[in-house]
């Protein structure tokens, strides 16, 4: 993980959305045409400083930039918004994250009130990538090492399924690899039958992106047709996502 602290420039114009998993688009040198999503790990409105934590991996404009960045370089940034939104009656929370989502989880925990009860399952590359999680909340955590994160199959979805769910209403937040996000959403929505306001499940990145994009292009029309017909049937957002997930499954994507 490479932390970069941004300061100066147009940061005086940045307005935090106030949501702890808030994300913005960063535009990278040389010309800003390459843009990637990152989480605002820390925003100090007085000092006009922003921390971004980059999970460094092989390949990639953003990861390469972060690994080589030196003081004085510049990035473009967009407005920010986030998803984390536990219902007020949630008596417990489960946060599921790989390396790319660890910055969001760390900030969610730092801003959590002491009355909250939360379990984190975090999947990191090596034991050295574990981070100290700081929170006032009642926290328990499970760390998975050596799986996922582009280094092998992710065990996050399996670990979530085997975690004994506490009784009473809860909330689950997941962010990580896109295919894993589909498995987790299916578990929550279809196996557990939870309503959509009890979870937020986000695909942050895609394993073997280049190969996936090439294969997607070949079936793009089928996937878009599935989305269009779900939309035309005035289905809600999650039903449209079901239709797209099913079409991707059929295409082996
Ligand atoms: C809402 C949101 C918030 C995010 N916040 C963060 C954050 O705070 N920190 C962070 O590190 N990432 C974060 N991400 C993920 C980040 O946007 C992606 O990992 C992005 O693809 C990185 O761009 P890149 O240019 O490095 O690689 P790309 O050009 O997108 O991909 C190059 C190659 O690297 C692989 N790859 C991409 N990402 C990863 C990864 N994480 N692990 C292993 N292999 C990968 C691809 O499959 C591809 O083969 C966030 C994503 C979203 C949607």
């Amino acid at each position: 993980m490479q932390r970069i602290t941004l300061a100066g420039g147009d940061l005086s114009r940045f307005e935090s959305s106030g949501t702890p998993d808030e994300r913005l688009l960063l535009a990278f040198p040389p010309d800003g045409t390459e843009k990637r999503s990152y989480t605002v790990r820390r925003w100090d409105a007085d000092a006009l400083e922003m921390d971004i934590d980059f999970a460094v991996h092989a390949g990639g404009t953003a990861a390469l930039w972060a690994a080589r960045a030196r003081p004085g370089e510049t990035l473009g940034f967009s407005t920010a918004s986030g998803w984390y939104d536990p219902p007020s009656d949630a008596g417990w929370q489960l946060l599921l994250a790989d390396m790319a989502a660890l910055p969001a989880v760390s900030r969610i925990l730092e801003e959590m009130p002491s009355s909250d009860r939360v379990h984190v399952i975090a999947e990191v590359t090596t034991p050295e990538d574990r981070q100290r999680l700081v929170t006032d909340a009642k926290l328990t955590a499970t760390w998975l090492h050596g799986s996922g994160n582009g280094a092998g199959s992710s065990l996050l979805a399996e670990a979530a399924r085997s975690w004994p769910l506490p009784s009473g209403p809860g909330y689950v937040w997941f962010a990580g690899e896109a295919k894993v996000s589909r498995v987790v959403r299916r578990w929550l929505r279809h196996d557990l039958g939870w309503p959509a306001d009890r979870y937020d499940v986000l695909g942050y990145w895609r394993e073997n992106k280049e190969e996936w994009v090439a294969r997607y292009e070949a079936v793009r029309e089928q996937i878009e047709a599935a989305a269009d017909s779900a939309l035309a049937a005035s289905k809600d957002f999650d039903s449209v996502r079901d239709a797209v997930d099913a079409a991707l499954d059929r295409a082996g994507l």
Side-chain angles (χ1 to χ4, degrees):
M1 195 74 89
Q2 176 69 55
R3 172 161 299 167
I4 303 280
T5 301
L6 306 175
D10 285 335
L11 277 179
S12 55
R13 289 167 52 199
F14 178 74
E15 283 179 31
S16 172
S17 67
T19 314
D21 63 343
E22 69 183 340
R23 148 277 195 193
L24 34 64
L25 276 175
L26 294 178
F28 292 89
D31 54 10
T33 51
E34 297 280 355
K35 299 183 182 67
R36 300 285 187 271
S37 291
Y38 278 86
T39 305
V40 179
R41 172 66 184 84
R42 180 186 67 97
W43 169 238
D44 183 333
D46 297 323
L48 298 179
E49 270 185 15
M50 181 187 290
D51 284 350
I52 308 278
D53 284 357
F54 291 78
V56 176
H57 54 87
T61 304
L64 198 65
W65 180 87
R68 292 181 177 166
R70 291 289 171 268
E73 291 187 36
T74 57
L75 286 181
F77 68 89
S78 69
T79 54
S81 60
W83 291 263
Y84 171 80
D85 187 19
S88 55
D89 66 351
W92 56 271
Q93 298 181 39
L94 175 62
L95 309 179
L96 305 163
D98 65 9
M99 294 282 290
L102 210 44
V105 161
S106 298
R107 189 170 151 197
I108 289 170
L109 290 173
E110 281 170 14
E111 297 184 13
M112 210 174 248
S114 57
S115 52
D116 282 11
R117 189 154 55 109
V118 58
H119 185 70
V120 170
I121 305 179
E123 186 168 53
V124 295
T125 314
T126 68
E128 290 70 39
D129 292 306
R130 284 171 62 147
Q131 294 188 7
R132 202 166 67 86
L133 302 172
V134 177
T135 185
D136 289 338
K138 296 164 199 72
L139 167 72
T140 50
T142 306
W143 292 89
L144 309 172
H145 309 125
S147 50
N149 298 297
S153 298
S154 172
L155 300 179
L156 261 184
E158 222 172 284
R161 273 178 175 277
S162 9
W163 186 66
L165 295 177
S167 55
Y171 171 75
V172 175
W173 182 97
F174 167 95
E177 202 278 326
K179 241 184 196 169
V180 182
S181 77
R182 269 154 63 189
V183 177
V184 170
R185 201 184 73 91
R186 197 173 298 138
W187 166 57
L188 293 166
R189 178 168 161 82
H190 297 293
D191 300 345
L192 298 181
W194 280 17
D197 66 337
R198 298 235 153 256
Y199 56 84
D200 285 291
V201 175
L202 307 153
Y204 265 20
W205 62 281
R206 195 171 289 288
E207 180 131 46
N208 297 323
K209 180 174 101 170
E210 299 76 5
E211 186 195 321
W212 190 92
V213 168
R215 288 175 56 211
Y216 178 84
E217 284 309 321
V219 293
R220 174 193 285 275
E221 281 180 19
Q222 286 158 244
I223 312 293
E224 288 180 355
D228 288 346
S229 69
L231 274 170
S234 351
K235 298 220 167 134
D236 58 27
F237 174 75
D238 268 67
S239 306
V240 174
R241 215 168 141 177
D242 284 342
V244 171
D245 284 359
L248 289 169
D249 286 346
R250 282 195 299 278
L253 287 168

